[in-house]
Amino acid sequence: MEATNALESGPKGFTILYRILTAMMLIAVIPIGGLWFISIHKAKQDWTENVFQALVQDTSALANRVDEWTEFNLRLLEQNSKSPAMLSMTAEGQNPILKSIQDTYDWVYLAFTVQPDGENIGRSDGKEAKFYGDRDYFKQVMGGKTIGKQLLMGKTSGKPALILAKPILSERQKIQGVLAIAMTLEDLSKAVTETRIGKTGYAILLDENNRLLAHGLGRVKNQLQDMSYHPVMQYREKLAGSNFVFTERGKKIVAYKFKTRMGWKLIVQQDYDEAYSSAVKSKNQSLILLAATLVSVVLMAYLLANHLATPIRRLTKIADDISKGNLSADIGERDRGDEIGALARAIERMGVSLQMAFDRLRKKK
């Protein structure tokens, strides 16, 4: 009696429909999910490499502009230091050349010469001679360096200014004096500030002592700012595609640094979110496509599982009816060419056999 009631109440638990559905989903979803994970991982690696290479290229291109600017000024010094008038080491011979340099190049606000004892000889501004023997650029040249340089704050502009110096050499390559030019960095700063990477990316130029020369956001103050705190400057190892992401003041950035020929440091940085915006967009689109694919797979799996489970349920119902004596039930699946059709025909034969057995029993009575 209990068995009959259990049969009448229908199947319990994890029915064949859900078993077929689960099996089909596992077969379809696992490969799709695996392929999606691999493709997303590979896409992230590719995007990371692309972002890094873009930073390297932007930094290198800007560094070339900085190097070209400094090389131009060094050539200017080199050419003029060899002229006969400059070799005369007299104010009368040198002043016309120094004045011409200042008048020709807008960024040069002073061109001057210094004797080996530190005393000023010629000046482009016509002012009284001064003593320069205590200046770093002078000491560097007199100490044997081919280039002397010193960064200082301009008294008039209140902005960083640069002094470049070259030795004035005799025919025997003996130092007769020093030729120097004092320059504003406005043209150089303009090249830095005009460099934009997307909406949030910019460049920073530092001297060899990590003092700020130019900032893409115009943050140059009336003092020489120490930028050693920048996370890129604190990172001592060589930057690569695996270590160019930093946190600056609580904000995630991507950044790269490059050393110029003058020993200056050039940093190019960009907000992480903007740098990876296309990657995030591509990932979101992939997630949408994956979700749509999974929904389609589940729907198709359900339809197919239901297509298989429904006739089995009908045959189960017919078999139940036959067990209760209803031998006239119509078996609609017997024309199918698969296993379900074979089961339907077997149930049909069972019903016929039972009908024949019942007929024989009635005749004997």
Side-chain angles (χ1 to χ4, degrees), residues 86-158:
M86 196 64 64
L87 291 169
S88 70
M89 296 305 295
T90 63
E92 292 77 11
Q94 293 175 344
N95 282 343
I97 297 177
L98 299 175
K99 183 69 168 57
S100 175
I101 292 175
Q102 181 178 340
D103 292 343
T104 304
Y105 305 102
D106 296 336
W107 59 90
V108 176
Y109 65 86
L110 176 63
F112 58 100
T113 57
V114 187
Q115 295 184 117
D117 60 1
E119 292 295 337
N120 180 205
I121 304 175
R123 299 178 63 89
S124 63
D125 60 1
K127 293 183 179 180
E128 185 179 348
K130 297 180 180 181
F131 179 75
Y132 291 109
D134 58 347
R135 307 303 167 87
D136 289 344
Y137 57 85
F138 175 77
K139 293 178 181 179
Q140 292 165 8
V141 174
M142 295 305 298
K145 291 188 177 181
T146 57
I147 302 172
K149 59 182 184 293
Q150 184 177 353
L151 182 68
L152 45 79
M153 293 303 299
K155 293 181 180 179
T156 303
S157 66

Side-chain angles (χ1 to χ4, degrees), residues 66-291:
V66 173
D67 285 333
E68 287 172 1
W69 184 86
T70 54
E71 288 293 334
F72 177 85
N73 287 290
L74 291 175
R75 286 196 301 271
L76 168 66
L77 286 172
E78 182 72 21
Q79 292 169 359
N80 285 279
S81 68
K82 295 178 180 180
S83 66
M86 196 64 64
L87 291 169
S88 70
M89 296 305 295
T90 63
E92 292 77 11
Q94 293 175 344
N95 282 343
I97 297 177
L98 299 175
K99 183 69 168 57
S100 175
I101 292 175
Q102 181 178 340
D103 292 343
T104 304
Y105 305 102
D106 296 336
W107 59 90
V108 176
Y109 65 86
L110 176 63
F112 58 100
T113 57
V114 187
Q115 295 184 117
D117 60 1
E119 292 295 337
N120 180 205
I121 304 175
R123 299 178 63 89
S124 63
D125 60 1
K127 293 183 179 180
E128 185 179 348
K130 297 180 180 181
F131 179 75
Y132 291 109
D134 58 347
R135 307 303 167 87
D136 289 344
Y137 57 85
F138 175 77
K139 293 178 181 179
Q140 292 165 8
V141 174
M142 295 305 298
K145 291 188 177 181
T146 57
I147 302 172
K149 59 182 184 293
Q150 184 177 353
L151 182 68
L152 45 79
M153 293 303 299
K155 293 181 180 179
T156 303
S157 66
K159 295 180 180 180
L162 177 67
I163 298 179
L164 288 178
K166 292 278 287 184
I168 301 174
L169 300 175
S170 66
E171 293 182 357
R172 296 182 180 181
Q173 300 300 301
K174 182 180 179 180
I175 298 179
Q176 294 189 178
V178 175
L179 170 62
I181 52 176
M183 304 171 290
T184 63
L185 297 176
E186 291 181 0
D187 286 351
L188 190 59
S189 297
K190 187 177 180 181
V192 173
T193 55
E194 288 181 349
T195 298
R196 308 299 298 179
I197 301 95
K199 295 180 179 179
T200 61
Y202 56 87
I204 303 172
L205 182 63
L206 313 178
D207 73 354
E208 62 273 18
N209 296 316
N210 299 336
R211 294 176 299 180
L212 184 61
L213 294 175
H215 198 293
L217 299 182
R219 294 178 178 173
V220 179
K221 301 178 181 179
N222 57 354
Q223 58 183 350
L224 295 176
Q225 300 166 248
D226 184 9
M227 294 290 288
S228 299
Y229 68 85
H230 195 286
V232 177
M233 299 311 302
Q234 295 179 356
Y235 195 87
R236 301 301 178 185
E237 298 180 21
K238 184 178 180 181
L239 294 177
S242 58
N243 60 357
F244 69 105
V245 180
F246 303 91
T247 300
E248 182 186 25
R249 298 173 182 174
K251 196 171 189 178
K252 206 171 182 181
I253 63 169
V254 295
Y256 187 76
K257 64 180 177 179
F258 189 91
K259 196 171 185 179
T260 70
R261 295 172 194 166
M262 285 281 289
W264 295 343
K265 289 108 174 180
L266 185 64
I267 301 172
V268 169
Q269 68 179 69
Q270 186 180 17
D271 285 1
Y272 180 93
D273 291 339
E274 184 185 25
Y276 279 89
S277 60
S278 296
V280 172
K281 183 178 179 181
S282 178
K283 181 180 178 180
N284 292 338
Q285 290 175 343
S286 297
L287 283 172
I288 294 172
L289 180 60
L290 175 65

Side-chain angles (χ1 to χ4, degrees), residues 283-328:
K283 181 180 178 180
N284 292 338
Q285 290 175 343
S286 297
L287 283 172
I288 294 172
L289 180 60
L290 175 65
T293 302
L294 292 178
V295 170
S296 301
V297 167
V298 171
L299 180 61
M300 293 299 295
Y302 177 80
L303 293 175
L304 185 55
N306 193 55
H307 179 69
L308 295 174
T310 298
I312 293 176
R313 287 198 298 266
R314 284 200 294 264
L315 290 175
T316 302
K317 178 66 170 56
I318 291 171
D320 186 35
D321 290 343
I322 291 175
S323 70
K324 295 176 181 179
N326 182 13
L327 304 179
S328 61

